[in-house]
Amino acid sequence: MCGIFGIINDNNNQAATSVLEGLKKLEYRGYDSWGISIISETEIKIDKHIGKIGEAKTNLPVGLIALGHTRWATHGGVTDNNAHPHLDCTKKIAVIHNGIVENYQGIKEDLLKKGHQFISETDTEVIAHLIEEKSKLKKINEAIFETFKLLRGSNAIAVLDFKTQTIIACRNGSPLVVGLGNNQYFLASDVPAFLKETNKVYFLNDGEAVVLSNSGVKLFDIETEKEKKLIPQVLDWKLEDAEKGGYPHFLIKEIYEQIKTISKTTSINEKEISELARKINSGYKIVLTGCGTASYCALAARYFFAQQGVDAQAIPSYEFMPFSKFIDKKTLVFAISQSGETADTLIAVKEAKKRGAEIVAVINARGSTLERLADIVLSVGAGPEIAVVSTKAFTTQLSTLYLLTTAVANKYEEGKNKINRLGKVLTKWLDVQSINRLISLAKRLMDEEHMYLIGKHLNYPATLEFALKIKETSYIHAEPFAAGELKHGVITLIQKGTPCFVLASNDEIKEEVLSSAAEIKARGGLIIGVAPFESSDFDVLIKTPDLGDLTIFPNIIVGQLLGYYLGVGRGADPDKPRNLAKSVTVK
Ligand code: F6R
């Protein structure tokens, strides 16, 4: 939530423009307003606007040092004044912030008594004034560290200081990464902002601060205020990973990338998978957790474990607490997350850790808080996922967990072959004809306001994920149900012409699913089959490849694509759906 990007020593003396370009790459983190501050000759100058950055330009003067922000509002409405950066009274300190300062009211009251003037309703502005107050007696670094220690909640702050011509940033809970370029230094909440310039990075840990200056980057421990050694790492990410590469949107690019990313999971994590399979076979309990799409991945993985005779619990992270008492030292808690920064997931993981569980992080982004908390990391290797809506992270997480279930049953090689075949089949299946069929279906459904979906067993979590893609990307109400639930109440919703998706595989329960479809059809519903077989119950069929238990992958991809085409057709921004942020770092 909220994107941070700062530059020291911009190569072209156009730091504000470079920050603006970098912020465009981070817009998925928040997009209700944006702002940039730059050190000019005499003072800090600021440019702030509500709305998406889109094709925005900035009129800020030239300069070497700038710091900017894209906002996802928490405290204070979406106004120019509430957009970051926020200045102190002297206009020599600019602050941007990711997180929530839980105790800002009390701090603000004290500062008001001391005569500070506030122009926004945000919690962030108190940070600028508190630093100003403290810097009257202390060096700027010390003033910032002391201020940061007083803030309650999960926060990352970045400060542009006119006097020392530095950017100083502190982290506790919200991500920050430093990029070490060729005589240029970057601070960002995510790597894509500066990947064009460097892949040499340092991910800050909680409790660490950095000072970026003309002469380089220094790392500090905030508590002791002592300098630490900064050991950078070189990422194997390529520039293309963070660019649209000829596609109109990141979402459609990332949907297509699954052709490669799913198969790639067969060549990574081998050691970790075999260690985990051994633990599971020695009697460890399994709990799978995550939020949103990741929680549907947890549920689908539960069905895959059950296929191999292994019991696993799937608990959404925000509902974890009542069940945490069942967790002990012999529990493996699989925390599934694209970002590794989702607050609810981290809270569940910390609780599980307290109870002695071993934490397995199933993650995509690197250097996250979850990665640090984990005992074992299954990094799913999908590369940067820029669209807010999760696609390739989900399918790589699920294929990684699928591989683990096969390893538990001593069928890892077979599992790998099946996943590799899935990759190949997807490449053929996603041809022009299939896409045109989906586009015509999207055109037919464009004006619908309600849709329903049914699926049974493995296709049940698939309907949850399919429906979420439709809702997020097109804003159409799409409600998923287990097929068996239908006659227990839900069937009242069906009217003449109501679109109902029926997700199915060529398995022993397909007849049961088709009976449910027939019940909907008898009430006038328009039955859209998403399945690898034909049936007279389907009014429309989106035929998916027959891949046995892996058929749910293409079934879900139909939902991703349909959501995308419906969203585009209805004028929504598929990369940045309204009200959403890519990583939800608040409770
Ligand atoms: C849906 C989506 C969200 C995330 C959820 C968890 O498309 O992206 O539901 O899956 O917010 O995020 P991560 O995976 O980063 O923990």
Side-chain angles (χ1 to χ4, degrees):
M1 275 179 172
C2 299
I4 292 176
F5 185 41
I7 297 183
I8 294 266
N9 270 355
D10 183 64
N11 272 347
N12 303 314
N13 199 25
Q14 293 283 359
T17 308
S18 304
V19 165
L20 183 66
E21 290 314 306
L23 286 178
K24 288 179 185 172
K25 300 244 158 37
L26 295 184
E27 214 190 354
Y28 65 88
R29 300 184 65 86
Y31 33 86
D32 50 42
S33 50
W34 61 274
I36 300 176
S37 50
I38 189 160
I39 296 194
S40 75
E41 272 178 24
T42 49
E43 58 184 352
I44 292 181
K45 293 217 184 300
I46 299 236
D47 187 18
K48 307 205 272 196
H49 301 271
I50 59 168
K52 295 180 182 175
I53 296 188
E55 298 306 313
K57 299 218 168 6
T58 176
N59 294 324
L60 284 171
V62 292
L64 291 168
I65 307 175
L67 180 64
H69 186 263
T70 56
R71 178 167 188 244
W72 190 86
T74 54
H75 284 79
V78 181
T79 62
D80 282 351
N81 272 352
N82 287 341
H84 301 206
H86 292 284
L87 289 168
D88 71 323
C89 298
T90 67
K91 302 196 175 10
K92 296 280 160 74
I93 294 168
V95 173
I96 61 177
H97 167 221
N98 183 3
I100 296 176
V101 180
E102 287 166 5
N103 55 338
Y104 85 102
Q105 289 285 19
I107 301 177
K108 188 166 177 176
E109 278 159 28
D110 284 351
L111 288 164
L112 282 168
K113 281 188 206 136
K114 288 185 176 132
H116 288 267
Q117 294 196 343
F118 289 81
I119 55 164
S120 80
E121 299 148 347
T122 64
D123 51 345
T124 306
E125 197 181 357
V126 303
I127 305 172
H129 293 278
L130 192 55
I131 295 171
E132 175 195 353
E133 195 58 35
K134 293 195 175 292
S135 65
K136 288 178 185 162
L137 299 171
K138 303 196 173 238
K139 287 193 192 145
I140 190 72
N141 290 11
E142 292 161 10
I144 292 171
F145 298 162
E146 264 190 31
T147 298
F148 193 70
K149 282 186 245 179
L150 292 174
L151 310 180
R152 282 214 306 271
S154 289
N155 295 292
I157 63 165
V159 183
L160 183 65
D161 179 46
F162 180 82
K163 197 166 153 209
T164 54
Q165 308 264 306
T166 54
I167 293 175
I168 301 167
C170 303
R171 175 195 158 130
N172 175 28
S174 282
L176 278 178
V177 56
V178 164
L180 301 146
N182 191 5
N183 199 34
Q184 292 184 103
Y185 309 103
F186 308 92
L187 173 83
S189 33
D190 205 353
V191 177
F194 56 72
L195 192 58
K196 192 158 73 83
E197 300 294 341
T198 184
N199 59 354
K200 194 168 167 195
V201 305
Y202 178 76
F203 292 100
L204 272 76
N205 291 298
D206 279 349
E208 287 183 341
V210 277
V211 178
L212 285 76
S213 71
N214 196 9
S215 53
V217 181
K218 286 187 174 167
L219 179 67
F220 289 87
D221 180 284
I222 299 174
E223 196 50 48
T224 62
E225 301 185 11
K226 296 239 163 68
E227 196 179 337
K228 297 166 78 171
K229 193 168 164 54
L230 186 156
I231 303 171
Q233 66 180 106
V234 176
L235 295 176
D236 66 352
W237 291 7
K238 294 185 279 315
L239 179 57
E240 309 89 87
D241 291 338
E243 303 280 341
K244 285 190 196 142
Y247 288 92
H249 299 100
F250 281 110
L251 182 58
I252 189 72
K253 174 186 176 234
E254 289 163 9
I255 292 173
Y256 273 100
E257 278 175 350
Q258 295 174 109
I259 289 170
K260 290 200 181 122
T261 54
I262 292 175
S263 310
K264 193 178 151 200
T265 58
T266 59
S267 58
I268 48 182
N269 300 312
E270 292 214 3
K271 195 169 108 286
E272 291 79 4
I273 286 178
S274 108
E275 183 187 341
L276 284 166
R278 200 176 31 75
K279 286 199 171 197
I280 294 168
N281 285 328
S282 75
Y284 274 76
K285 284 186 289 191
I286 301 172
V287 174
L288 303 144
T289 193
C291 295
T293 283
S295 80
Y296 302 149
C297 176
L299 188 59
R302 181 183 190 201
Y303 282 89
F304 282 139
F305 271 115
Q307 282 191 160
Q308 307 297 355
V310 177
D311 184 33
Q313 298 299 312
I315 310 172
S317 305
Y318 40 80
E319 289 296 323
F320 195 81
M321 286 309 164
F323 308 100
S324 62
K325 55 176 169 279
F326 305 115
I327 285 174
D328 57 24
K329 277 197 272 188
K330 276 235 122 180
T331 312
L332 286 169
V333 172
F334 287 79
I336 306 165
S337 175
Q338 191 291 128
S339 61
E341 299 293 348
T342 300
D344 289 317
T345 310
L346 295 176
I347 292 168
V349 162
K350 285 177 189 161
E351 179 63 24
K353 252 181 120 68
K354 254 198 250 158
R355 293 177 182 271
E358 281 189 43
I359 309 297
V360 186
V362 186
I363 41 168
N364 185 38
R366 299 312 309 264
S368 65
T369 308
L370 180 55
E371 183 167 348
R372 286 163 227 260
L373 288 172
D375 300 291
I376 300 177
V377 176
L378 294 174
S379 158
V380 300
E385 193 180 66
I386 310 276
V388 167
V389 170
S390 187
T391 53
K392 61 177 181 168
F394 170 84
T395 47
T396 49
Q397 285 160 341
L398 189 56
S399 58
T400 302
L401 289 168
Y402 178 80
L403 287 168
L404 173 61
T405 65
T406 59
V408 169
N410 254 327
K411 296 182 201 151
Y412 185 44
E413 284 310 311
E414 196 185 305
K416 285 201 323 191
N417 291 339
K418 283 175 75 175
I419 294 285
N420 276 324
R421 174 155 177 268
L422 165 64
K424 285 195 190 112
V425 170
L426 287 181
T427 314
K428 272 207 199 136
W429 172 63
L430 286 173
D431 61 5
V432 180
Q433 267 181 346
S434 305
I435 297 300
N436 283 343
R437 258 196 299 276
L438 277 168
I439 292 174
S440 336
L441 180 61
K443 283 186 183 151
R444 183 167 173 184
L445 300 177
M446 201 74 78
D447 296 322
E448 297 292 342
E449 282 312 317
H450 305 281
M451 295 176 181
Y452 299 94
L453 299 95
I454 58 166
K456 194 173 175 69
H457 298 178
L458 265 170
N459 273 295
Y460 170 54
T463 62
L464 300 180
E465 179 56 8
F466 190 121
L468 183 60
K469 296 305 97 163
I470 303 281
K471 285 183 273 199
E472 286 178 305
T473 331
S474 71
Y475 313 149
I476 295 174
H477 167 227
E479 207 166 338
F481 296 102
E485 184 64 27
L486 205 66
K487 35 190 170 313
H488 302 289
V490 184
I491 202 147
T492 55
L493 298 172
I494 308 302
Q495 299 181 52
K496 193 164 178 346
T498 309
C500 299
F501 288 89
V502 176
L503 271 62
S505 303
N506 211 350
D507 53 19
E508 66 292 349
I509 51 162
K510 79 174 190 196
E511 294 307 332
E512 274 183 64
V513 181
L514 287 175
S515 310
S516 302
E519 285 161 15
I520 304 175
K521 197 175 163 99
R523 271 104 192 144
L526 172 77
I527 308 297
I528 306 161
V530 179
F533 55 84
E534 306 197 352
S535 159
S536 56
D537 292 314
F538 297 150
D539 298 306
V540 179
L541 171 63
I542 298 295
K543 199 164 184 188
T544 48
D546 191 350
L547 292 156
D549 53 358
L550 296 183
T551 303
I552 64 160
F553 282 84
N555 284 2
I556 289 167
I557 291 172
V558 170
Q560 299 173 347
L561 286 162
L562 205 56
Y564 173 75
Y565 290 115
L566 282 168
V568 172
R570 288 164 63 101
D573 179 344
D575 284 345
K576 301 179 205 95
R578 67 185 177 207
N579 306 339
L580 278 178
K582 182 74 179 155
S583 50
V584 186
T585 52
V586 290
K587 272 194 270 181

